[in-house]
Amino acid sequence: MPEGLSDEKTIQAIQENPYMQYLLGLPKFTEKPVFVPELFVQIRKRLDHEFFNLLTLLLSEADATKAKADYSTRSNEEDGVAHVLQKFCGVE
């Protein structure tokens, strides 16, 4: 996992950031944890590296200015979800 970006720290960052909570679809800001660390483990087990690459590609195709994805995620073994949150959401 990227240094300083454990599941617990990700949850804490979401807990402290109203913008992240809004992007996650929460109806209002809450100071309570919105996830438990075990959820990230379950997500990583169910969604593989190819899913995130496909998602990246679909999102870039939705943007008419891009012809293809310019970013490929890391694999589950390389903690791809945590890396994406760190890279694009500023989670430290």
Side-chain angles (χ1 to χ4, degrees), residues 51-61 69-73:
F51 169 81
F52 286 102
N53 283 338
L54 176 62
L55 181 61
T56 303
L57 180 62
L58 291 173
L59 290 173
S60 69
E61 286 177 354
D70 57 1
Y71 180 77
S72 179
T73 63

Side-chain angles (χ1 to χ4, degrees), residues 16-85:
E16 296 170 352
N17 189 319
Y19 299 106
M20 285 184 181
Q21 290 186 22
Y22 175 79
L23 290 172
L24 290 170
L26 297 176
K28 63 181 183 176
F29 178 75
T30 180
E31 293 182 357
K32 296 178 183 178
V34 296
F35 300 112
V36 293
E38 293 79 17
L39 177 64
F40 290 121
V41 174
Q42 291 175 350
I43 290 171
R44 282 192 293 271
K45 286 180 180 178
R46 295 184 75 182
L47 303 177
D48 61 7
H49 177 68
E50 290 303 314
F51 169 81
F52 286 102
N53 283 338
L54 176 62
L55 181 61
T56 303
L57 180 62
L58 291 173
L59 290 173
S60 69
E61 286 177 354
D63 180 2
T65 62
K66 286 189 173 184
K68 63 178 185 174
D70 57 1
Y71 180 77
S72 179
T73 63
R74 295 179 181 178
S75 70
N76 286 343
E77 291 76 27
E78 298 171 313
D79 295 313
V81 174
H83 177 72
V84 167
L85 288 172

